[in-house]
Amino acid sequence: MLKVSQLYIYPVKSLGGIAIEHSLVTDRGLQYDRRYMLVDDQGRFLTQREFPLMALLQTSINDNILTVSDKNSIDLKLELPLVPATHTDTIKVQVWDDACDAILIDPSADKWFTDRLGFSCRLVYMPESTKRYVDTSYAVDHDITSFSDAYPVLMIGQSSLNDLNGRLNEPLPMNRFRPNIVFTGGSPFEEDCMEQFSINGIIFYGVKPCARCVVTTTNQETAVVGKEPLTTLAKYRLLNNKVLFGQNVLCSSTGIINTGDTIELIKTKQAIII
């Protein structure tokens, strides 16, 4: 039996995530996931790929307030509304090949992040009016996403991480892979074969294996960058020069999912890596 074991959201793209017990599933992923993002002065998205220190900025939610704190200076905190006012200025921002409208938050927030990270950056938010569409090659029905890299939800089976850790000298935690949904049960890489499934009556589609980047090599507690897990994964999870780990997922309906929910398989497919 497959069961949801962990749920995570990342309110600010590429900053620390939050483990949650339940979440509203929206048309662009789990509620509050990657609706905020840091951009440079040209509006280009910023991530741990270039700036590993972003891992040290942690997030938490309490009473509709999003708090960002710095592990190096825990007394320095920034409080933000979970959903900011929409009457503020908008700018065009870039996420990979996508250009979309975003709300500028506040110069004081920009300064807080600039001071913490040591380079100029601005904080933006994706309003409901912005529709960022997923790759039409994998879309089911004009699907949209937030400031995620490409798809609304990333799902990984605990068995897949266990398999990887059995090949490593030092096991790695799940946070290296920044999933939204983790599940127990099934074989390693069971998620590769999950084409359509439901959780608590909500229909999901597994559309594309996730190609992994150097963010997985960054220790999320220290921001120290190493070589694993990419070196080991490349030995058995490489296809077309891309290391694959986890499944990108689309959401075709809304509702609440919880840790402990059973995952019901509706349709399976053949894995592209055997």
Side-chain angles (χ1 to χ4, degrees):
M1 181 181 293
L2 309 181
K3 282 194 172 185
V4 176
S5 56
Q6 299 169 61
L7 293 170
Y8 296 96
I9 57 172
Y10 309 86
V12 185
K13 182 178 178 66
S14 224
L15 301 194
I18 303 173
I20 55 178
E21 294 298 316
H22 54 82
S23 177
L24 174 66
V25 178
T26 75
D27 56 357
R28 66 188 84 205
L30 301 192
Q31 189 177 33
Y32 309 128
D33 186 54
R34 296 175 173 96
R35 296 297 291 267
Y36 279 100
M37 179 174 70
L38 292 174
V39 299
D40 64 15
D41 292 334
Q42 287 71 49
R44 184 183 64 87
F45 76 119
L46 302 173
T47 74
Q48 292 183 37
R49 294 174 181 86
E50 300 170 280
F51 307 105
L53 285 177
M54 292 174 70
L56 300 183
L57 298 183
Q58 300 297 296
T59 57
S60 61
I61 294 174
N62 188 39
D63 293 333
N64 292 318
I65 297 296
L66 171 64
T67 300
V68 185
S69 57
D70 186 342
K71 281 190 173 184
N72 288 330
S73 305
I74 59 175
D75 292 333
L76 295 175
K77 300 179 185 294
L78 175 67
E79 292 190 345
L80 301 164
L82 268 179
V83 181
T86 57
H87 61 269
T88 53
D89 294 335
T90 62
I91 62 168
K92 193 72 73 175
V93 298
Q94 193 81 22
V95 186
W96 298 114
D97 294 331
D98 297 331
C100 52
D101 291 329
I103 297 170
L104 280 170
I105 298 305
D106 186 270
S108 62
D110 300 344
K111 184 178 186 304
W112 191 92
F113 283 106
T114 297
D115 290 346
R116 301 284 77 71
L117 295 171
F119 53 84
S120 179
C121 52
R122 292 185 289 178
L123 181 67
V124 300
Y125 179 86
M126 177 181 283
E128 288 295 318
S129 57
T130 293
K131 306 297 183 185
R132 181 179 169 228
Y133 293 95
V134 306
D135 187 338
T136 55
S137 301
Y138 300 97
V140 173
D141 184 22
H142 301 93
D143 305 275
I144 62 174
T145 187
S146 61
F147 286 134
S148 65
D149 275 354
Y151 297 92
V153 169
L154 176 62
M155 183 174 68
I156 299 175
Q158 183 64 47
S159 294
S160 304
L161 180 61
N162 294 346
D163 180 273
L164 169 62
N165 280 337
R167 303 166 189 258
L168 297 174
N169 291 328
E170 296 183 11
L172 298 177
M174 187 63 81
N175 67 9
R176 286 292 188 99
F177 302 95
R178 302 176 66 80
N180 296 111
I181 300 174
V182 180
F183 66 92
T184 56
S187 305
F189 309 105
E190 183 97 5
E191 59 271 25
D192 291 359
C193 304
M194 297 167 62
E195 182 171 349
Q196 185 180 0
F197 58 95
S198 69
I199 304 174
N200 203 21
I202 305 165
I203 304 298
F204 297 87
Y205 293 89
V207 294
K208 184 179 182 294
C210 184
R212 308 317 304 234
C213 68
V214 294
V215 172
T216 61
T217 67
T218 300
N219 185 315
Q220 296 296 298
E221 304 302 321
T222 65
V224 173
V225 178
K227 294 182 179 181
E228 295 293 4
L230 293 183
T231 297
T232 296
L233 282 172
K235 296 175 182 178
Y236 72 114
R237 294 289 299 175
L238 190 69
L239 184 69
N240 298 327
N241 290 319
K242 294 181 178 180
V243 171
L244 305 180
F245 192 85
Q247 185 77 190
N248 289 306
V249 172
L250 301 178
C251 321
S252 70
S253 54
T254 62
I256 301 292
I257 60 173
N258 311 272
T259 56
D261 282 348
T262 299
I263 300 175
E264 302 287 348
L265 289 179
I266 300 172
K267 186 178 181 181
T268 60
K269 59 185 174 180
Q270 183 173 345
I272 62 175
I273 291 183
I274 306 300

